[in-house]
Amino acid sequence: MSTKSHVSATGDTRCSIGRALEIVGDRWNLLILREALNGETRFSEFKARLQVASDVLTQRLTALVEGGVLEKRPYREAGARSRMAYHLTASGRDLVVVFGALQQWGDHHCPHPDGPLVRRGSRTSGGALRVAFVDDGGTETPLEDVDLVAPAGADATRPVG
């Protein structure tokens, strides 16, 4: 993980949401990560799939590597020069929960007329999955019962995140 101190737009380094958005909050970063979660690793693959300018893609890949969600690994095709591939780190793979939640929200609140492009499913059982809040005992908590609570001693006037 990068040792860089991430400061949210409000200047608060304690805001988890702000720090996370500093790494993944850019639209291109999210789209690159979506492709990486789908198995893409090469610059040419990202460029072709996303139709993004090379300079923009280079900047965003660099930011994702610096943020610790992608790592560069060399590869070489026969007869070609060595190039770098971009692989998800453990923290990058953990973003599957975030993408699942975004997809679930989009399917519900702004659905496509033809239905979802992909579904969330278990590799083991094949059953459909949804993202939810689950307590330490494994019980799902309904969204209307979820509260983002500041820890004891925190400034209650500050946003939680």
Side-chain angles (χ1 to χ4, degrees):
M1 184 65 162
S2 172
T3 56
K4 212 167 43 167
S5 173
H6 294 283
V7 180
S8 73
T10 63
D12 185 357
T13 59
R14 293 196 57 207
C15 176
S16 303
I17 295 169
R19 289 191 322 274
L21 287 174
E22 289 295 321
I23 299 170
V24 301
D26 177 87
R27 178 182 187 270
W28 286 118
N29 288 10
L30 288 169
L31 294 173
I32 291 165
L33 289 167
R34 177 194 68 193
E35 296 305 319
L37 285 164
N38 284 323
E40 304 295 352
T41 61
R42 297 180 179 183
F43 187 95
S44 60
E45 295 167 338
F46 292 123
K47 187 170 178 358
R49 296 275 300 167
L50 298 173
Q51 297 295 298
V52 59
S54 294
D55 61 327
V56 172
L57 181 56
T58 297
Q59 291 169 355
R60 297 318 190 275
L61 287 168
T62 299
L64 291 168
V65 169
E66 288 176 356
V69 293
L70 290 178
E71 64 183 7
K72 295 192 317 188
R73 296 184 201 158
Y75 75 93
R76 177 184 288 211
E77 293 179 346
R81 66 181 172 89
S82 181
R83 297 176 187 258
M84 299 307 284
Y86 298 86
H87 294 266
L88 291 164
T89 63
S91 71
R93 285 187 297 278
D94 283 352
L95 287 167
V96 71
V97 175
V98 174
F99 279 80
L102 279 171
Q103 178 197 29
Q104 182 173 293
W105 184 89
D107 289 348
H108 181 75
H109 293 286
C110 45
H112 190 277
D114 296 333
L117 182 62
V118 296
R119 70 173 187 87
R120 295 164 305 283
S122 168
R123 288 183 183 148
T124 306
S125 71
L129 297 173
R130 60 190 172 79
V131 179
F133 285 94
V134 179
D135 68 20
D136 289 341
T139 302
E140 183 177 332
T141 301
L143 289 179
E144 57 274 4
D145 193 27
V146 173
D147 194 11
L148 300 180
V149 181
D155 182 354
T157 64
R158 306 274 308 163
V160 178

